[in-house]
Amino acid sequence: MKTLIIIPAFNERDNIANLVNDIKSFGYDYLIINDHSTDDTSLIAKGNGFNILDLSVNVGLAGVTRVGFKYAYDNNYDCVICIDGDGQHQPKYVQSVIKEIENGYDYSIGSRFVTEKKPLSMRMLGSRILSFLIKIKTGKTINDPTSGMRALGKKVIKDFAESMNFHAEPDAVCYLLKRGYKVKEVQVEMLDRQAGTSYFVSPFKSIKFMFSQIVSILFIQW
C-alpha cells in the first residue's frame, strides 16, 4: 500500500530533524508542510535534504493538512497518516495505525485511551466533553477525539482533498461517522512535546478551540 506521512510544521526547528530521521529509518514516504514558520524550520529541513513544501502564508493546521491530502490524492497514494511536527507522535506506531486501513477501515486514529484509562484531570475535561458530544451525534464512542495521529484510506483522502469543511480532528471524525465511514482507534503512546511551545499554551486559544469544535459537532457536521 502506497503510504505518505504528512508532517505539519510551524516553528519546529528544534524537533523536525530528529522526527524526520526517525521516520526515514522506517522507510516511509513523507512530506513536511511548513506553515510559514518564523523560525529556521525550513532552513534546517532543507539543510538535511528533507522533503519539504513551504507555504507562503500561514493557513493553520486544517489548511496545512488539506494541502497534504490534495498532494496525496494527486499523487495516487492509497493511505495518508498525519504526524505532528513536535515529536509527540512516535513513528514506531505508524504501522499499527495504517494496518487498520489495510484491514478495511477508512480512518484509523492513534489513540492514547483504547486500553489505557483516560485521566481524571482538567486537561482531559475537554476531551471528555468532545467524546460525549460525538457519541450523542453519531452513536459511536471515540476515546481520544483530539488525537492528531490519524490514517486515512483512499476514499477519505479524496473526500478531504475535495471538500474539507472542518477545522480539527474532533469534527473531522464526527463528519466521517455521520457519513458511514468505518473508523477504528488503535492504542499508541504519545510523548510530551519535545521542544518549543504548543499552540494551546494560551488559555484563550484552548477555549476558542473548544467553542469552535462544539459548534461544529452540534450544528455544522449535523
Side-chain angles (χ1 to χ4, degrees):
M1 185 167 63
K2 187 180 178 184
T3 301
L4 175 70
I5 297 179
I6 295 173
I7 310 168
F10 178 72
N11 290 351
E12 298 292 357
R13 57 164 293 166
D14 296 322
N15 297 312
I16 200 66
N18 288 337
L19 174 62
V20 173
N21 284 328
D22 196 2
I23 289 170
K24 289 174 68 177
S25 72
F26 289 93
Y28 297 111
D29 286 351
Y30 69 90
L31 178 66
I32 304 165
I33 305 180
N34 175 33
D35 193 19
H36 199 59
S37 294
T38 57
D39 67 0
D40 295 332
T41 297
S42 180
L43 289 175
I44 290 170
K46 290 174 180 175
N48 282 277
F50 297 156
N51 300 325
I52 184 169
L53 174 64
D54 290 316
L55 302 186
S56 58
V57 295
N58 181 271
V59 297
L61 184 58
V64 168
T65 51
R66 187 176 183 191
V67 169
F69 301 149
K70 289 179 71 67
Y71 176 92
Y73 178 65
D74 290 343
N75 288 278
N76 201 34
Y77 279 91
D78 302 303
C79 177
V80 164
I81 181 165
C82 300
I83 291 185
D84 289 350
D86 58 12
Q88 294 188 75
H89 300 154
Q90 301 181 74
K92 68 180 181 180
Y93 291 110
V94 166
Q95 184 56 44
S96 298
V97 178
I98 65 175
K99 183 178 179 180
E100 297 306 330
I101 304 299
E102 296 173 337
N103 289 340
Y105 285 90
D106 300 301
Y107 192 80
S108 176
I109 302 168
S111 171
R112 293 164 287 184
F113 310 120
V114 178
T115 58
E116 298 294 324
K117 192 172 182 180
K118 188 178 293 187
L120 291 172
S121 65
M122 286 301 296
R123 182 179 179 184
M124 287 298 157
L125 177 61
S127 176
R128 291 178 180 276
I129 292 171
L130 293 171
S131 292
F132 175 70
L133 294 177
I134 292 170
K135 176 75 170 182
I136 288 176
K137 301 305 287 189
T138 69
K140 305 291 185 180
T141 298
I142 299 297
N143 296 297
D144 198 357
T146 61
S147 172
M149 188 177 193
R150 59 255 173 79
L152 292 64
K154 202 157 190 175
K155 289 188 294 183
V156 180
I157 294 171
K158 182 177 186 295
D159 192 339
F160 281 13
E162 293 180 344
S163 59
M164 191 170 171
N165 68 335
F166 37 81
H167 300 287
E169 296 84 4
D171 54 346
V173 74
C174 188
Y175 170 91
L176 293 170
L177 290 170
K178 289 295 294 181
R179 282 152 186 79
Y181 286 107
K182 293 190 293 182
V183 177
K184 179 73 176 287
E185 288 187 273
V186 178
Q187 181 67 42
V188 302
E189 179 184 357
M190 294 187 190
L191 304 174
D192 292 331
R193 167 178 272 277
Q194 299 301 287
T197 303
S198 168
Y199 173 83
F200 293 109
V201 69
S202 162
F204 173 75
K205 288 183 177 180
S206 297
I207 293 169
K208 182 181 177 182
F209 171 82
M210 279 297 298
F211 178 77
S212 69
Q213 290 305 288
I214 289 170
V215 170
S216 183
I217 290 169
L218 289 180
F219 303 108
I220 297 174
Q221 303 311 332
W222 181 253

